[in-house]
Amino acid sequence: MKGFAMLGIGNVGWIEKNKPFAKAFDAIVRPIAVAPCTSDIHTAFEGAIGDRKNMILGHEAIGEIVEVGSEVKDFKVGDKVIVPAITPDWRSIAVQQGFPQHSNGMLAGWKFSNFKDGVFAEFFHVNDADMNLAHLPKEISLEQAVMLVDMVTTGFHGVELADIQFGSTVVVIGIGPVGLMAVAGSKLRGAGRIIAVGSRPICVQVAKSYGATDIVNYKEGDIVRQVMELTNGMGADRVIIAGGNSNSLSNAIKMVRPGGAVSNINYFGEGETLPVPRLEWGSGMAHKSIRGGLCPGGRLRMENLSNLVKYNRLDPSKLVTHVFHGFDNFEKALMLMKDKPKDLIKPVVILD
Ligand code: NDP
Ligand code: ZN
């Protein structure tokens, strides 16, 4: 089969590989809609997860089942399925600890385009199909569904980690697709004021439509100063980091009030350490909590998120600015994600 792969750090291209096969609990899926992720860019061009040779990229897909293992009960050939970016090993101690994302090792629930070939291929392998796949409801479009598997679950996880309360003042640093879903999730969780930090007009416009009440442009000066001014020196109750640079954590700690929470879903790609500003952290005594996490995957998460779309609580298709048709467009879509032109939030490739 054909797949679009990371050949080595900084190099991508088409390769031929053997079609994967399903063991007893697994499924083989043919993608029908895929999307590239900023994490594919970190992986392929920045070596974020180390060197990988000839590893097929992509971890965001909706697909059709072409093969199931002998023990798979709830899915059959021909079913259309939502495939979460994170597909944990459900028989692992980390699951009993409450963190399936880290089943069998830190971040090891993230398998596609990390520990095994990803979804930019004619076929891909899904472990533990009954626990990881969800049926695609007929009321949900492919564009909406493919946003659930990573963008929605990640942005919403930022909201969960931040523990947003009714009426909270929330800052979301970064309003690419992940941050935009953190904005939408904050609104759903009852935030009062939502201050979104970004610059591109299309992201600003979509942030407002998802519930941002204020916009801070990081290109127009220090974001800590801007947030402190907007909040009359009080700071925010919660800060969700969904973009920015290696100062984002430090900025978030500075702009959150004592007793508040900082949640991170961003990938920090530089430096041995990340600075914590001592004074603004109350010399360690400000009760400012810091949490960060990989998005939850698995079947129930996908079923719950698809309910939000099915019952009109959320329309993630506003993230989709570019739609391509056909396999050959994987590269074009990936490169858009790398170059981030002004009019881009997220590209999707539909495989008719
Ligand atoms: P984008 O690159 O599309 O968005 C980044 C955002 O950060 C943009 O709004 C950008 O502004 C803003 N930004 C850039 N520089 C600064 C700065 N100096 N200060 C403040 N804001 C800034 O990324 P995505 O939304 O696709 O992904 C966000 C992060 O989430 C990535 O690091 C990705 O790897 C990670 N991720 C994490 C997952 C998880 O499970 N935790 C899963 C998926 C992704 P603008 O462009 O408007 O100028
Ligand atoms: Zn991703």
Side-chain angles (χ1 to χ4, degrees), residues 38-39 42 150 175-176 178 199-200 218 265-267 293 295 340:
T38 302
S39 304
H42 297 314
D150 193 359
I175 45 171
V178 171
S199 84
R200 281 181 292 152
Y218 66 94
I265 41 178
N266 178 52
Y267 158 78
C295 62
K340 303 256 157 81

Side-chain angles (χ1 to χ4, degrees), residues 7 37-38 47 78-79 119 124 135 185 213 229 243 257 281 290 326 352:
L7 309 177
C37 178
T38 302
D79 285 353
V119 302
F124 59 86
H135 289 285
T213 53
E229 273 171 21
R257 66 161 166 79
W281 206 40
I290 304 170
D352 304 300

